[in-house]
Amino acid sequence: MFRGSIPALVTPFSGGKVDEKALKELVEWHVAEGSHGLVAVGTTGETPTLSHEEHRRVIEICVETAAGRIPVIAGAGSNNTAESVGLMEFAKSVGADAALVVTPYYNKPSQRGMIAHFTALHDAVELPIIIYNIPGRSVVDMTPETMGELAKLPRIIGVKDATGKIERVSQQRITCGTDFIQLSGEDATALGFNAHGGVGCITVTANVAPKLSAEFQNACLDGDYARALTYQDKLMPLHAALFVEPNPAGAKYALSLLGKCSPELRLPMVELTDATRAQVRAAMEHAGLI
């Protein structure tokens, strides 16, 4: 169920509020363009600046609009285990298919602490969990050995790996087993990640290029890496341009060029400089999107 191109969906804003109409239209667009799933309220969805009420509402809208046509993975991470349990409980209550749970940030738990955290979540809510390992944001790095321990729990089913270490896929195949779902958290290296045994990507670029991203992942899943490389060549400038400034400023600007949503962000995120806008536009032209 969880494979291929899974956009980490932006949360569109209008006048400081969540633009529910634009959000529903984005979900419909992703279904039509062939995205294999969606992540609601991940980092790209600006979760640090959403209220809990907004967080829950975005999940609810995504699940209702997708209506079972593609799976919805709900962001439910926190550095407070009890808070994460509550987010998972809500996600389950509205019909989300899984929870994406980041390694606890800022308070820097040990490997034992991470095992205790994820075990508590697993035991509290009957919802599949995908671990999100992103040391660049959370400061802590879950080792393959720790992940292997957690993979023994039946509802801890996979990882979004944003370590940037492609060899982790092979290491985690050994510690977690070959059925453990490994999803890349970095668009630019997803080709190599999949070649090592990954089965998809939770992607920022697919916000802007859902069809191309889905076709790229389909080629990888078919084992046709020569075909996948042709998509990589089209998409690579966009992968780079969207991260010149902090995400999701690039993705939202690109979506505004496509008429999909406003480029509006919430502070402390700010809109792109003119130079970066030009780079994003050029990358979109290279990919044939505009």
Side-chain angles (χ1 to χ4, degrees):
M1 175 184 281
F2 306 110
R3 56 179 49 222
S5 177
I6 305 174
L9 198 62
V10 301
T11 301
F13 298 130
S14 178
K17 297 181 179 180
V18 174
D19 187 341
E20 294 192 3
K21 180 176 181 291
L23 178 59
K24 292 173 185 176
E25 290 172 352
L26 284 175
V27 174
E28 289 289 357
W29 184 48
H30 281 291
V31 172
E33 291 285 287
S35 293
H36 299 93
L38 291 171
V39 168
V41 289
T43 308
T44 305
E46 294 179 78
T47 49
T49 56
L50 294 182
S51 69
H52 283 183
E53 181 181 357
E54 289 171 327
H55 186 119
R56 292 190 292 265
R57 180 62 180 149
V58 170
I59 293 171
E60 187 175 35
I61 288 171
C62 289
V63 172
E64 288 178 352
T65 307
R69 292 173 291 174
I70 56 175
V72 174
I73 303 166
S78 175
N79 59 350
N80 176 336
T81 304
E83 182 176 73
S84 196
V85 167
L87 294 172
M88 284 185 60
E89 287 174 338
F90 178 81
K92 178 176 171 58
S93 75
V94 296
D97 297 285
L100 181 66
V101 180
V102 69
T103 51
Y105 41 87
Y106 192 76
N107 42 14
K108 296 175 66 175
S110 65
Q111 299 298 311
R112 289 191 304 112
M114 284 188 274
I115 289 173
H117 174 75
F118 280 95
T119 300
L121 299 181
H122 172 276
D123 293 348
V125 186
E126 291 192 3
L127 187 68
I129 295 171
I130 296 171
I131 297 166
Y132 183 12
N133 193 26
I134 182 165
R137 285 187 181 269
S138 68
V139 185
V140 294
D141 181 5
M142 183 180 288
T143 67
E145 292 73 25
T146 294
M147 199 168 293
E149 285 300 307
L150 289 169
K152 296 174 183 177
L153 300 173
R155 287 187 299 281
I156 295 187
I157 62 168
V159 61
K160 174 186 177 182
D161 190 304
T163 62
K165 299 178 179 180
I166 294 176
E167 69 273 16
R168 281 288 177 94
V169 189
S170 296
Q171 293 166 349
Q172 286 158 184
R173 281 170 65 84
I174 293 169
T175 60
C176 301
T178 57
D179 290 336
F180 193 70
I181 298 166
Q182 296 202 59
L183 302 167
S184 172
E186 287 196 346
D187 282 290
T189 58
L191 179 63
F193 188 97
N194 286 342
H196 274 252
V199 295
C201 183
I202 294 178
T203 158
V204 173
T205 300
N207 275 286
V208 181
K211 185 175 182 181
L212 287 176
S213 298
E215 289 174 349
F216 163 74
Q217 289 293 339
N218 286 335
C220 290
L221 290 168
D222 290 342
D224 189 345
Y225 286 96
R227 179 161 57 97
L229 186 58
T230 66
Y231 288 105
Q232 178 81 348
D233 291 342
K234 285 184 180 181
L235 290 167
M236 189 62 214
L238 191 58
H239 296 332
L242 293 180
F243 285 91
V244 170
E245 296 185 40
N247 179 50
K252 281 193 163 179
Y253 172 68
L255 284 166
S256 76
L257 295 181
L258 298 175
K260 299 296 182 183
C261 73
S262 162
E264 183 178 334
L265 302 150
R266 282 187 176 166
L267 290 172
M269 306 300 290
V270 293
E271 293 185 26
L272 300 181
T273 63
D274 289 343
T276 306
R277 288 179 183 179
Q279 189 170 341
V280 170
R281 181 182 285 273
M284 292 175 73
E285 289 174 352
H286 178 85
L289 299 174
I290 56 175

